[in-house]
Amino acid sequence: MAQRGFTVKKSWDNPVEHAMPADAWVPAEVRIGTVTVRPATVLAPMAGVTDTVFRRFIRHASLFSTSHYAAGALCPDSETGEIKAPGIDSAITNLQSGCGLLMTEFTSADGLSRMRESKRRRYLTFYEDEHPIAAQLFGSNPDTLAEAARIVQDTGFDTVDLNLGCPAKRVVGCNGGSGLLRDLPRIQEIFQTVRSVVTIPFTVKFRLGWNDSQIVCVELAKIAEGEGLNAVALHARTREQGYTGQARWEWIAAIKQAVSIPVIGNGDIRTPEDAAAMIAKTGCDAVMIGRAAPGNPWIFRQIAQYTATGAYDRPTVEDRYRMIRGYFKMLLEEAEACQDQPRDARLGETSGKMKQFASWFTHGVPGGAKLRAAIYQQKSGAAVLDQVDAFFTHPMETGATVDEIPQSALFNGFDPALACD
């Protein structure tokens, strides 16, 4: 049984350590309607996390160049930049080598249809370097969801996604998220209504069912395919589980056998090995990653590296410094850039977001607890950045890398209470 309130757990329950399969890779690409996702990896929508700054941060952190290739691994063509993954016919390029599809924070269709245009910008703003990008909606009224989906399409998003997975009480209480899993006829009506008003690819993310006695995921996937949706994503837990226990990947495999549209697998992917193991065990077309991304923003690059070369890099503590500093600078620059916008479209003070991110990102860094304590005392984003610089500019004597740190240490600070991976 999930914890009361269904907040997201900070760590995994006895996570299974997967070895890298000898003959399975995350596909180099997957086609979702008219949109090519290259490689076949997706950043899961997480409330309070996947704003435009974090999405762009992940996208840039995901890119890798020839200098990152392991010795003896395959190299890109000198003219085209294309690389062939071991055993995979499709090619990926350096410019599209990390997270294949970004997704927004999940957004209320009711709120989106009512709010002023200026406020919508906070929820639907994205930059050209975020393509392809999907907007995820939740709600229970077919007409309202259709209107919100039309707004998403008119704003320029590449795809629109329906959230049927969030277990949060405040969402389920409105019959949204995983609350709708108890009403398949209503879901089918939503599919029909939204599909009738948008031409961009339409996808859905859902769970196994409300509880173990109400597993509906295979039937739901068939309904989605029948109503013209372009892909389905399964978080392989029930609503009752919340984020506890093991994700049951066998249901991802069952859906893959039941439908012909692309199937995206989600749940318990913490490492490139996990991603490849999910592909090997389920045959799914793509993988979606949520909770692991804030603790290890390199995971998409690592998956892409393995797909392309058969090996992947592990970041050093110095890499962590560069990464956290880069993200904090992006936050400050974004806040400065939006000061001329209407008040309800501006970003708030960045120090809170920095503190949230630092708690995820500095676990495993020697002396990280001292840095977190210093950061939490600061009142402004600039002061937080000064503390980061002061901490990391000291000589790094350990040279510790992420793979030398227990996986549990990397995620103990992650507290995405509203995340929906």
Side-chain angles (χ1 to χ4, degrees), residues 130-312:
E130 293 185 68
H131 287 293
I133 182 170
Q136 189 183 75
L137 304 172
F138 75 91
S140 60
N141 183 286
D143 293 331
T144 302
L145 279 161
E147 172 61 16
R150 185 193 59 76
I151 292 170
V152 164
Q153 176 173 275
D154 291 347
T155 305
F157 282 88
D158 299 291
T159 75
V160 62
D161 185 76
L162 175 65
N163 181 299
L164 298 179
C166 181
K169 290 177 69 174
R170 66 182 181 86
V171 174
V172 171
C174 300
N175 205 30
S178 57
L180 275 171
L181 295 175
R182 297 167 294 183
D183 191 348
L184 291 185
R186 172 60 65 91
I187 291 175
Q188 184 167 14
E189 183 183 359
I190 290 171
F191 288 166
Q192 293 171 345
T193 308
V194 173
R195 181 73 284 176
S196 69
V197 300
V198 296
T199 58
I200 60 174
F202 176 28
T203 63
V204 61
K205 179 173 183 255
F206 51 94
R207 286 174 173 253
L208 302 179
W210 182 256
N211 54 34
D212 281 347
S213 64
Q214 298 177 336
I215 301 293
V216 298
C217 57
V218 174
E219 183 179 359
L220 199 162
K222 290 179 178 178
I223 293 173
E225 182 177 39
E227 297 300 337
L229 273 70
N230 302 100
V232 296
L234 177 68
H235 179 172
R237 290 183 173 89
T238 64
R239 190 271 173 175
E240 188 175 76
Q241 276 185 276
Y243 296 88
T244 63
Q246 302 292 322
R248 288 176 274 180
W249 291 358
E250 65 271 19
W251 286 105
I252 300 173
I255 289 177
K256 180 60 183 172
Q257 290 294 316
V259 299
S260 58
I261 58 177
V263 175
I264 303 168
N266 177 228
D268 290 352
I269 297 179
R270 302 164 299 111
T271 66
E273 288 86 349
D274 294 338
M278 177 181 280
I279 297 293
K281 293 183 178 182
T282 71
C284 64
D285 302 282
V287 295
M288 178 181 286
I289 297 170
R291 281 184 287 171
N296 178 18
W298 299 275
I299 188 169
F300 294 100
R301 181 177 69 185
Q302 291 172 331
I303 291 172
Q305 283 183 307
Y306 176 73
T307 299
T309 71
Y312 66 88

Side-chain angles (χ1 to χ4, degrees), residues 28 83-91:
I83 45 182
K84 290 288 186 178
I88 295 178
D89 294 330
S90 300

Side-chain angles (χ1 to χ4, degrees), residues 13-35:
D13 292 334
N14 301 313
V16 176
E17 298 291 337
H18 292 105
M20 190 68 80
D23 56 355
W25 297 267
V26 173
E29 67 177 45
V30 61
R31 188 84 170 173
I32 298 178
T34 58
V35 174

Side-chain angles (χ1 to χ4, degrees), residues 99-130:
C99 180
L101 178 65
L102 301 173
M103 299 191 79
T104 66
E105 303 173 66
F106 72 118
T107 302
S108 166
D110 289 332
L112 195 61
S113 63
R114 292 196 306 264
M115 67 180 61
R116 295 189 300 273
E117 180 66 28
S118 60
K119 192 171 184 180
R120 285 177 186 165
R121 295 176 189 171
R122 277 178 73 178
Y123 298 92
L124 297 182
T125 293
F126 63 90
Y127 292 85
E128 285 303 309
D129 61 357
E130 293 185 68

